[in-house]
Amino acid sequence: MAQIIDGKKISQQIKDELKEKVESLKAEGKSGALAVIQVGEDPASSVYVRNKKNACAYIGIESLAYELPEDISEEELLELIAKLNGTKQVKGILVQLPLPKHICEDKVIQAISPSKDVDGFHPQSVGAMTIGEPGFLSCTPAGIIQLLKRSGIEISGKRCVVIGRSNIVGKPMALLMLREDATVTIAHSKTQNLKEICKEADILIVAIGKPRFIGAEYVKEGAVVIDVGIHRDENHKLCGDVKFEEVEPVAFAITPVPGGVGPMTIAMLMNNCVQSIEED
Ligand code: NAD
């Protein structure tokens, strides 16, 4: 039986620690708000935005909701971001992605002041992470590092394979594992011999975006398997990129979907907000 890495429990611990920290910051006269911007009414985005607002309420920081119409112009959105960049009480700005096609996501991300970039997507944040300078870390990869550390899993010196090279998961994940002294390989859609490469991993991190793609034949006996994927299967049930039932008996430890990586992303977003209030 593999150890099931409980993201729900670990994210709750982090949120409780943050709640205490927010209280002590308030006692020092430090507070701030997270501005959450949603464009349009995509149902999945609405769920994520609601969860973020609830997490803010739980740890005791204010959230300001900006629900903008689907047809808002890029210019108007950029104006709002400029206004929030200049608002002292706003310590974090988050624009829920994806944005409608007529708005350039890169332009929007780059318009957010790096000092308020709590998603960690701004090129300055990514650059700082790459060279080990202080800055906001991308939430999902930072959450995975916390899952590993708080589950007592050693990272230093381990062979790690990350499947996926997206800017929000795969690339920052590989960089953070490198920062923790793992020996890291990034696999992607053009990688040859994926199975053989994955089988070398002590820690296999799967962010491939394909439901139940990774079976036991990709996993070394005793490996740690982190499943970043989130999908709805044909029965509308949540599932990951990994065939959990097949991989669990082979693994030393594994994250479930739901209840693994998912809850950690919001916990780390809250961590970045608190960091921003603290540093102000
Ligand atoms: P993406 O589609 O941007 O990237 C997928 C990556 O997988 C690509 O880099 C691609 O090169 C690689 N890939 C595709 N097919 C492959 C193949 N056959 N072999 C090897 N590599 C292949 O996705 P993403 O944004 O990085 O997200 C990945 C998954 O994680 C998705 O299911 C997404 O929903 C989920 N996700 C979860 C969270 C969370 O909080 N749990 C956060 C972000 C993303």
Side-chain angles (χ1 to χ4, degrees):
M1 272 288 279
Q3 173 189 341
I4 308 296
I5 299 175
D6 189 343
K8 243 177 136 172
K9 192 167 132 201
I10 296 172
S11 66
Q12 189 60 47
Q13 280 168 359
I14 293 174
K15 283 189 284 182
D16 287 337
E17 290 164 15
L18 291 171
K19 194 177 168 144
E20 263 186 45
K21 201 160 187 183
V22 167
E23 270 171 35
S24 58
L25 285 169
K26 271 187 192 151
E28 290 171 33
K30 288 184 164 189
S31 67
L34 169 67
V36 182
I37 303 173
Q38 183 180 0
V39 181
E41 286 166 10
D42 172 58
S45 291
S46 299
V47 173
Y48 290 130
V49 166
R50 193 172 61 235
N51 290 343
K52 288 167 188 175
K53 287 183 206 158
N54 289 344
C56 284
Y58 184 80
I59 69 160
I61 62 176
E62 190 187 351
S63 65
L64 305 170
Y66 293 87
E67 284 155 16
L68 308 177
E70 179 86 25
D71 60 356
I72 192 169
S73 69
E74 186 179 275
E75 204 185 342
E76 285 171 288
L77 178 57
L78 293 174
E79 271 168 22
L80 172 63
I81 292 171
K83 194 180 111 201
L84 295 170
N85 280 340
T87 307
K88 194 155 179 355
Q89 183 62 4
V90 172
K91 299 294 193 289
I93 302 171
L94 182 152
V95 179
Q96 186 63 43
L97 302 178
L99 288 170
K101 295 264 179 296
H102 67 279
I103 300 177
C104 172
E105 280 186 3
D106 286 345
K107 226 175 177 178
V108 169
I109 289 169
Q110 288 177 30
I112 297 171
S113 162
S115 67
K116 301 188 179 188
D117 173 39
V118 286
D119 254 338
F121 293 162
H122 190 286
Q124 191 171 312
S125 307
V126 178
M129 175 186 64
T130 308
I131 58 172
E133 290 281 318
F136 296 115
L137 300 179
S138 185
C139 300
T140 303
I144 292 170
I145 298 289
Q146 285 301 314
L147 275 184
L148 293 169
K149 286 190 172 173
R150 289 174 185 245
S151 303
I153 293 162
E154 177 84 33
I155 305 174
S156 176
K158 293 289 156 60
R159 285 295 307 261
C160 172
V161 175
V162 178
I163 320 180
R165 57 174 163 182
S166 71
N167 288 341
I168 61 163
V169 188
K171 277 185 211 153
M173 187 72 248
L175 284 164
L176 289 185
M177 290 301 277
L178 183 62
R179 231 162 93 155
E180 296 295 331
D181 297 325
T183 302
V184 184
T185 301
I186 305 178
H188 48 79
S189 53
K190 301 284 190 292
T191 296
Q192 293 179 4
N193 306 324
L194 184 66
K195 264 180 220 168
E196 288 74 8
I197 291 168
C198 291
K199 276 224 149 195
E200 288 178 8
D202 301 312
I203 302 173
L204 179 63
I205 302 178
V206 189
I208 198 170
K210 296 201 161 119
R212 297 198 173 104
F213 188 92
I214 297 295
E217 72 277 20
Y218 288 82
V219 180
K220 180 169 83 175
E221 181 93 38
V224 173
V225 180
I226 305 291
D227 187 353
V228 189
I230 313 176
H231 314 275
R232 292 262 171 207
D233 70 8
E234 54 289 354
N235 304 316
H236 219 66
K237 252 185 81 188
L238 283 173
C239 73
D241 290 348
V242 174
K243 290 176 184 157
F244 183 88
E245 301 74 17
E246 205 180 275
V247 171
E248 184 269 329
V250 185
F252 168 73
I254 185 167
T255 58
V257 178
V261 174
M264 295 302 291
T265 301
I266 291 188
M268 298 319 287
L269 172 69
M270 293 301 110
N271 185 65
N272 283 349
C273 292
V274 174
Q275 184 183 321
S276 186
I277 294 170
E278 206 175 7
E279 282 168 1
D280 192 50

